[in-house]
């Protein structure tokens, strides 16, 4: 399949959706860093901070479950820009937060605002990922892998930029002004929705609600593995790591935000480059198989445990964490890139938004588990305890992955 077989209109639509997703992603990363650092300074414990993100993750699970079904009925344009509108509302809502309110009221208010942000994030993610399958058929397996890697890698790199933006805005203009600036940027992005066809991604027929849970074995297995994979990252990265850097190592907001941003940007770049870095088959193409994801997940299992052992041996925290993060990020990026390809390779055109939504429901479930346990285990056992739990989660993902079969369109390729 050559590039000439792509319709210019399809490429234009994909470019518009991707640009909107990029803009949203920066604000999503910035908002997470804003909330985390702002409330830590106010004296909230790591577990209380994790609770601020509880509804963000819970409603992400719900949104992915129903969002794919909704997208198949109303179209991708409506779900994508509906998500952006909800993010604008969430940012505006948070800007009215009053620090004089009693703590339980503040927590509840932020949790509700974060619920809207969680819905927004997963509506935009589901819409953008589904759009790839509407432009590139799964028969063009190598090209599909490359396009998935481009979107996923660039998204994560820009989320890292968002971490930096959030920390910088918090330090330069304060919490409320930072929120309003982001909302204004999203209003501009929202206006671009008029350029997309209203029917994009709409399948034109009623889908029985029970079909939300009627998935192929491969989608179910991959989703279960995704649940533990992303739980393994967030259990030490989301709350524990930034609090460790600020509280134990004594770093400033800008140092924490920049450090987290650089890691996520590097992680996104590795995802972006995954199709070029993985070994090619005899035809010169990279088409991941089931054993590809098993290989990378198995390697990842040992890395959090090794970081924990290094910290326990007395090595300086900044050195141990930085070295471990680099290795963890590279291996995790390969895992994520291949995962994102496989869910589309296992999916038929008519089921794309339904399967992508279900799959990212598992992703959100893993993030929810990781977020809660990150705050809880850090409070109980510190960063080392979070790392041991991370290793157990990856081991669970690896064992589940052994049950995967190869996508029907794949040709042989090494790891």
């Amino acid at each position: 399949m050559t590039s000439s077989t792509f319709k210019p209109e399809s490429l234009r639509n994909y470019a518009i959706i991707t640009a909107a997703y990029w803009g949203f992603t920066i604000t999503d990363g910035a908002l997470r860093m804003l909330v985390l650092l702002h409330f830590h300074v106010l004296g909230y414990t790591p577990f209380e901070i994790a609770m601020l993100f509880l509804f963000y993750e819970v409603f992400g699970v719900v949104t992915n479950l129903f969002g794919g079904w909704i997208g198949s009925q109303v179209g991708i344009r409506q779900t994508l820009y509906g998500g952006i509108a909800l993010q604008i509302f969430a940012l505006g809502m948070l800007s009215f937060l009053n620090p004089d309110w009693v703590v339980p009221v503040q927590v509840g208010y932020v949790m509700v605002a974060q619920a809207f942000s969680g819905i927004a994030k997963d509506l935009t993610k589901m819409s953008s990922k589904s759009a790839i399958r509407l432009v590139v058929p799964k028969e063009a397996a190598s090209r599909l892998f490359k396009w998935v890697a481009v979107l996923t890698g660039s998204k994560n790199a820009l989320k890292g930029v968002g971490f930096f933006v959030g920390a910088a805005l918090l330090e330069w203009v304060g919490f409320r002004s930072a929120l309003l600036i982001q909302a204004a940027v999203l209003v501009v992005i929202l206006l671009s929705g008029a350029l997309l066809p209203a029917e994009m991604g709409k399948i034109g027929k009623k889908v029985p609600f029970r079909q939300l849970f009627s998935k192929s074995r491969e989608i179910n297995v991959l989703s279960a593995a995704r649940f533990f994979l992303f739980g393994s990252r967030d259990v030490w990265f989301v709350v524990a790591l930034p609090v460790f850097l600020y509280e134990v190592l004594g770093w400033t907001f800008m140092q924490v935000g920049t450090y987290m941003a650089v890691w996520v940007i590097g992680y996104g770049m590795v995802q972006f480059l995954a199709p070029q870095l993985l070994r090619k088959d005899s035809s010169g193409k990279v088409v991941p198989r089931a054993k590809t994801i098993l290989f990378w997940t198995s390697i990842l299992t040992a890395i959090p445990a090794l970081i924990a052992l290094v910290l326990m041996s007395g090595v300086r925290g900044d050195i141990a964490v930085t070295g471990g993060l680099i290795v963890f990020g590279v291996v995790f990026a390969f895992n994520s890139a291949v995962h994102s390809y496989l869910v589309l390779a296992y999916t038929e055109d008519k089921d794309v938004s339904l399967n992508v939504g279900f799959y990212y429901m598992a992703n959100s479930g893993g993030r929810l588990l990781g977020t809660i346990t990150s705050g809880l285990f850090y409070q109980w056992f510190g960063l080392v305890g979070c790392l041991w739990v991370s290793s157990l989660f990856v081991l669970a993902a690896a064992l589940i992955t052994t049950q995967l079969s190869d996508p029907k369109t794949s040709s042989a390729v090494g790891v």
Side-chain angles (χ1 to χ4, degrees), residues 366-383:
R367 289 175 56 89
L368 171 61
L369 176 65
T371 298
I372 294 173
T373 53
S374 185
L376 194 60
F377 279 93
Y378 183 81
Q379 199 163 315
W380 288 348
F381 308 112
L383 185 61

Side-chain angles (χ1 to χ4, degrees), residues 352-407:
V352 60
S353 63
L354 292 170
N355 283 349
V356 170
F358 182 84
Y359 174 73
Y360 282 105
M361 177 192 72
N363 184 94
S364 295
R367 289 175 56 89
L368 171 61
L369 176 65
T371 298
I372 294 173
T373 53
S374 185
L376 194 60
F377 279 93
Y378 183 81
Q379 199 163 315
W380 288 348
F381 308 112
L383 185 61
V384 169
C386 294
L387 287 162
W388 284 115
V389 175
S390 174
S391 194
L392 290 175
F393 282 0
V394 186
L395 177 61
L399 293 174
I400 293 168
T401 301
T402 62
Q403 303 303 307
L404 281 176
S405 59
D406 290 337

Side-chain angles (χ1 to χ4, degrees), residues 93-114:
M93 182 177 173
L94 278 172
S95 72
F96 288 100
L97 180 69
N98 189 337
D100 294 329
W101 294 343
V102 296
V103 170
V105 174
Q106 288 191 58
V107 170
Y109 188 85
V110 173
M111 288 176 72
V112 172
Q114 287 288 81

